[in-house]
Amino acid sequence: MCEIMTICAAVIFSIIFIAQKSNGKFSKPIFATMLMFWGAALMWAVDGIACVAEGESFFDISMEDTILGFIILGSGLAIFALMLVANKMKKARA
């Protein structure tokens, strides 16, 4: 479940990033968060492949995996919020 949640977050941040870039803007916090979620999705994909190699299913739909997915999403969004605040403080100083 954490794989599905992480891929959804990565796709959402990718769409936001592409939409902003097409308007001529570049947001470092959005770009960094997008890369974090894609990196996490890649990590979970490798873990899923290892599970398939051991005879298990690719997706783990257990409650523990769902909780792990929410922890990953919450952590990524918290880092995104911190980067936004730091970016705004940096712009306010300049």
Side-chain angles (χ1 to χ4, degrees):
M1 192 65 162
C2 61
E3 170 75 18
I4 297 168
M5 296 168 78
T6 307
I7 289 174
C8 288
V11 168
I12 289 169
F13 272 92
S14 296
I15 291 169
I16 294 169
F17 175 72
I18 291 168
Q20 279 195 340
K21 193 162 184 181
S22 67
N23 290 334
K25 298 179 182 177
F26 177 78
S27 174
K28 197 180 277 189
I30 290 176
F31 181 69
T33 307
M34 176 190 72
L35 290 179
M36 283 190 298
F37 280 129
W38 279 119
L42 178 64
M43 178 188 68
W44 298 126
V46 170
D47 184 52
I49 292 168
C51 287
V52 169
E54 294 175 358
E56 301 173 18
S57 66
F58 184 81
F59 293 112
D60 183 9
I61 311 293
S62 66
M63 181 56 89
E64 291 85 13
D65 203 55
T66 304
I67 292 170
L68 178 61
F70 282 120
I71 290 170
I72 296 300
L73 289 179
S75 299
L77 292 175
I79 292 171
F80 172 66
L82 289 173
M83 285 189 295
L84 273 178
V85 169
N87 199 19
K88 287 190 186 262
M89 290 176 67
K90 186 178 178 181
K91 287 182 180 180
R93 289 183 187 169

